[in-house]
């Protein structure tokens, strides 16, 4: 999810090899035929606009002609924020910002006051963790539509070691971390659950809430469920059953289910492991998931389970979607293996018209794939308990985009097609553990870093955020990835059969179109495409997270704009139907070095929660001399990842 500007933290070798550095692990990319002729035919401007109009018509919007015939008519009426990049957080005129919770603030009862100079494991286990990515809001009481009282669930994706601890050397700091510092980092990973309330127009965290909870990489035991549970490839010396795992790693985006649980995604889990596993039985599997020989962190120095030569199966226990119930602070999180193992950006669910649950998820790496999962069982809106394990049984599909504007969902089912023992798959568990390789063999379409995938319940369409891919060469462009050296990213729209609530998300054939191609529309080399009335501040770069409000408008958060476009990351809104379609408008921007994550609206659209992670993560920025001290601006405090609540001054709907 991060482009990772978020992932610009330093390792003993320099910059961590997260997803924005050209590294990928898909061996089939260079074997695929080019779609260049298709792209040239399909993306001439007239055809591009005609396709956009067709999508709009397909979701019940009456339109005549293409964008060239449209006047500016956006439903978003706020005064646009100018591009910029400074040490503060900015939001559009007429809106207020409240920092709700920061790294080190208390979560569980008895949490010690935050002392960045003397951090301890015991304190961090009860305090708000580090980099905050996904945010989910769940109303209180459960099952209500309350927009002024609820739970916030926040992912803590990873740590910027050099911005967390004082006194570290500029290079090779992972090799000098103490056991206590490593364990503080592990405690700062995971999730936080906090209760929040709006009183007198202001949001605050409710202290000593019975719901308050920290889930961490080091202390929280989790259950493994679904087809891979108990498989030999998940068994370790610490867990000979293959059914229990301690902790969750690199929790990026997520989702809220219709039965009130949270889905949290394990994304770049590979970077936490160390050791040359070339001679282990899992060598090819580890290579496909990009496990490095030297960890991006120093944890393996004190935790043998992260050394692949000692525990070659341990990486197989990460890369899953994890579900838990935030309304029950004693609930055991569950790794849902039926949904496949890859670098999940998130999993957003929608109830299909036949009652089955459909979950969409992107594999956030250059040239990896888009997936959806369809449950076998049907959602029961009147019996929450009946939906408890609904995600343990179903079919995982991977997407193939075709030149004629159609999308085919290919099932990852053992014994079907190439997914057989002859190709190293001896069970459905093998298919799910190696979902990437299964997608390779099925002929899935390599994408430009699929991140958030958000269905719109109002329209029935699905938005796929593709952050960037500067490694795509001219001979490898294709329909849904139409630009070589794609440094700015784009948004693809999927159109299932039907419309609105009658859309068939379980169908195996969709249509697709491109909503927008990010970049500067005034630079011909960018090849950007928006509504023609987009302003100088309305264009964006490196889309990452997204949210759809109750009016069907798409809100796009970015990660990587400072390096790709020269201005801060932030949030842009756009209509997705009508005359304002793809007319993006700039709403907020983050402090220097940070990215904007986790946009999430309350049910009434009057509060927008956002996460600001890794503030100050820039070249030359250190704990002692950061390029910003947001949000405290105190000489005694380093920059602190934080959650911000945005409201309109007069209490109105966000965007109006």
């Amino acid at each position: 999810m991060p482009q990772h500007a978020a992932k610009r933290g330093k390792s003993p070798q320099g910059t961590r090899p997260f997803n924005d550095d050209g590294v990928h692990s898909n061996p089939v990319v260079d074997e695929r035929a080019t779609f260049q002729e298709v792209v040239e035919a399909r993306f001439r401007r007239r055809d591009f606009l005609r396709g956009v109009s067709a999508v709009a018509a397909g979701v019940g919007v009456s339109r005549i002609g293409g964008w060239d015939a449209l006047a500016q008519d956006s439903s978003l009426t706020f005064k646009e924020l100018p591009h910029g990049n400074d040490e503060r957080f900015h939001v559009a005129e007429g809106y207020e910002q409240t920092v709700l919770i920061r790294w080190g603030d208390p979560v569980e009862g008895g949490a010690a006051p935050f002392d960045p100079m003397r951090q301890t494991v015991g304190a961090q286990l009860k305090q708000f963790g580090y980099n905050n990515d996904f945010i989910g809001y769940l109303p209180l009481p459960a099952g209500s539509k309350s927009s002024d009282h609820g739970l916030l669930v926040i992912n803590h994706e990873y740590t910027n070691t050099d911005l967390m601890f004082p006194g570290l050397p500029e290079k090779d700091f992972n090799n000098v971390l103490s056991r206590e510092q490593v364990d503080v980092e592990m405690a700062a990973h995971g999730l936080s659950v906090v209760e929040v309330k709006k009183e007198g127009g202001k949001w605050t965290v409710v202290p000593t809430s019975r719901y308050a909870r920290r889930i961490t990489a080091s202390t929280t035991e989790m259950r493994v469920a679904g087809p891979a549970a108990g498989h030999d490839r998940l068994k370790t010396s610490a867990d000979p059953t293959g059914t229990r795992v301690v902790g969750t790693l690199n929790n990026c985006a997520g989702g809220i289910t219709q039965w009130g649980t949270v889905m949290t995604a394990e994304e770049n889990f590979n970077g936490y492991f160390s050791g040359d596993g070339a001679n282990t039985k899992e060598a090819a599997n580890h290579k496909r998931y990009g496990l490095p020989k030297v960890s991006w962190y120093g944890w393996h120095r004190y935790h043998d389970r992260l050394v692949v030569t000692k525990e070659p199966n341990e990486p197989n226990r990460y890369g899953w979607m994890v579900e838990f119930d935030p309304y029950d602070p004693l609930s055991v999180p569950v790794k849902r293996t039926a949904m496949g193992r890859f670098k999940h950006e998130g999993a957003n669910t929608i109830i299909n018209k036949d009652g089955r649950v459909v979950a969409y998820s992107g594999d956030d790496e250059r040239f990896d794939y888009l997936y959806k999962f369809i449950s076998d069982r049907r959602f029961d809106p009147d019996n929450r308990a009946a939906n408890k394990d609904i995600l343990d049984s179903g079919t995982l599909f991977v997407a193939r985009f075709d030149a004629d504007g159609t999308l085919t969902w290919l099932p990852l089912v053992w014994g079907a097609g190439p997914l057989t023992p002859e190709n190293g798959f001896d069970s459905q568990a093998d298919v799910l553990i190696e979902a990437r390789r299964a997608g390779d063999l099925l002929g899935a379409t390599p994408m430009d870093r699929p991140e958030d995938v958000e269905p719109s319940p109002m329209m029935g369409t699905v938005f796929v955020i593709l952050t960037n891919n500067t490694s795509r060469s001219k001979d490898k462009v294709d329909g849904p990835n139409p630009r070589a050296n794609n440094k700015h990213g784009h948004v693809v729209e999927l159109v299932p059969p039907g419309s609105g609530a009658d859309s068939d998300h379980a169908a195996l054939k969709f249509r697709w179109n491109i909503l927008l191609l990010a970049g500067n529309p005034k630079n011909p080399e960018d090849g950007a495409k928006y509504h023609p009335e987009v302003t100088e501040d309305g264009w964006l770069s490196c889309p990452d997270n997204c949210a759809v409000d109750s009016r069907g408008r798409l809100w796009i958060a970015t990660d990587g704009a400072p390096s790709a476009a020269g201005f801060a990351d932030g949030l842009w809104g756009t209509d997705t139907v009508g005359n304002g379609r793809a007319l993006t408008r700039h709403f907020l921007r983050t402090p220097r070095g940070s990215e904007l994550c986790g946009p999430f609206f309350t049910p009434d659209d009057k509060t927008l929660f956002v996460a600001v992670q890794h503030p100050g993560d820039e070249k030359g920025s250190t704990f002692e001399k950061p390029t910003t001290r947001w949000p405290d601006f105190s000489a005694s405090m380093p920059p602190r990842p934080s959650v911000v609540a945005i409201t309109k001054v007069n209490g109105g709907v966000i965007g109006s």
Side-chain angles (χ1 to χ4, degrees), residues 34 56 110 176 188 197 213 222 236 269 274 287 303 329 338 413 427 450 487 507 528 546 585 631 651:
T34 178
V176 303
K197 202 166 188 177
R213 182 180 187 183
M222 303 188 174
T236 64
F269 65 90
S274 194
K287 183 178 181 180
H303 298 278
V413 175
S427 67
K487 69 178 182 178
C546 68
R585 295 177 58 80

Side-chain angles (χ1 to χ4, degrees), residues 220-226 229 234 239 242-247 317 320-323 331-337 388-389 392:
T220 306
E221 187 171 276
M222 303 188 174
R223 182 167 63 89
V224 182
L234 266 67
D239 173 35
T243 61
R244 312 294 290 188
V245 178
V246 174
R317 294 147 67 85
W320 305 101
M321 290 303 307
V322 183
E323 182 181 13
S331 65
V332 176
V334 182
K335 299 201 175 189
R336 301 292 186 192
T337 65
K388 180 179 178 182
D389 296 317
D392 281 343

Side-chain angles (χ1 to χ4, degrees), residues 11 24 340:
S11 73
H24 71 86

Side-chain angles (χ1 to χ4, degrees), residues 139-189:
L140 284 172
S144 72
K145 296 292 186 181
S146 172
S147 291
D148 56 13
H149 187 199
L151 301 177
L152 286 187
V153 179
I154 303 104
N155 282 356
H156 300 298
E157 185 179 5
Y158 70 103
T159 47
N160 289 86
T161 311
D162 51 337
L163 295 177
M164 282 184 69
F165 300 113
L168 294 180
E170 184 178 347
K171 297 180 179 179
D172 298 334
F173 48 75
N174 283 338
N175 293 328
V176 303
L177 293 177
S178 68
R179 173 67 183 258
E180 182 81 1
Q181 288 172 317
V182 163
D183 289 349
V184 166
E185 280 198 288
M186 295 180 77
H189 278 64

Side-chain angles (χ1 to χ4, degrees), residues 124-338:
Q124 182 64 82
L125 287 171
K126 294 178 179 290
Q127 295 167 340
F128 193 68
Y130 202 72
N131 282 328
N132 33 227
D133 200 300
F134 168 76
I135 299 174
Y137 173 84
L138 297 97
L140 284 172
S144 72
K145 296 292 186 181
S146 172
S147 291
D148 56 13
H149 187 199
L151 301 177
L152 286 187
V153 179
I154 303 104
N155 282 356
H156 300 298
E157 185 179 5
Y158 70 103
T159 47
N160 289 86
T161 311
D162 51 337
L163 295 177
M164 282 184 69
F165 300 113
L168 294 180
E170 184 178 347
K171 297 180 179 179
D172 298 334
F173 48 75
N174 283 338
N175 293 328
V176 303
L177 293 177
S178 68
R179 173 67 183 258
E180 182 81 1
Q181 288 172 317
V182 163
D183 289 349
V184 166
E185 280 198 288
M186 295 180 77
H189 278 64
L191 299 96
S192 290
V193 180
V194 295
E195 182 178 351
V196 293
K197 202 166 188 177
K198 185 180 181 183
E199 294 179 315
K202 297 292 184 182
W203 285 94
T204 58
V205 173
V206 177
T208 63
S209 168
R210 69 183 183 92
Y211 300 103
R213 182 180 187 183
R214 277 300 322 280
I215 292 172
T216 76
S218 55
T219 61
T220 306
E221 187 171 276
M222 303 188 174
R223 182 167 63 89
V224 182
H231 192 275
D232 285 347
R233 297 176 72 180
L234 266 67
K235 295 177 181 178
T236 64
S237 58
D239 173 35
T241 71
T243 61
R244 312 294 290 188
V245 178
V246 174
T248 181
L249 291 173
N250 209 262
N251 300 86
C252 198
I256 304 296
T257 68
Q258 286 72 17
W259 50 98
T261 61
V262 172
M263 302 295 298
T264 179
E266 297 183 315
E267 192 195 28
N268 289 296
F269 65 90
N270 57 310
Y272 296 81
F273 294 90
S274 194
D276 186 353
N279 295 322
T280 71
K281 61 183 179 180
E282 293 291 337
N285 175 28
H286 292 342
K287 183 178 181 180
R288 183 64 181 88
Y289 285 93
L291 268 71
K293 291 182 180 180
V294 179
S295 171
W296 305 337
Y297 293 87
W299 301 4
H300 63 284
R301 296 169 53 231
Y302 304 105
H303 298 278
D304 284 352
R305 68 185 176 103
L306 300 176
V307 180
V308 296
T309 51
K310 296 179 179 180
E311 292 288 358
N313 286 347
E314 187 71 13
N316 293 341
R317 294 147 67 85
Y318 299 90
W320 305 101
M321 290 303 307
V322 183
E323 182 181 13
F324 79 100
D325 184 357
Y327 292 112
D328 178 3
L330 299 179
S331 65
V332 176
V334 182
K335 299 201 175 189
R336 301 292 186 192
T337 65

Side-chain angles (χ1 to χ4, degrees), residues 33-41 473-478 482 484:
T34 178
F35 284 74
Q36 183 65 38
E37 293 181 2
V38 173
V39 175
E40 290 175 353
S473 57
K474 290 182 179 180
D475 64 334
K476 298 303 175 188
V477 298
D478 58 31

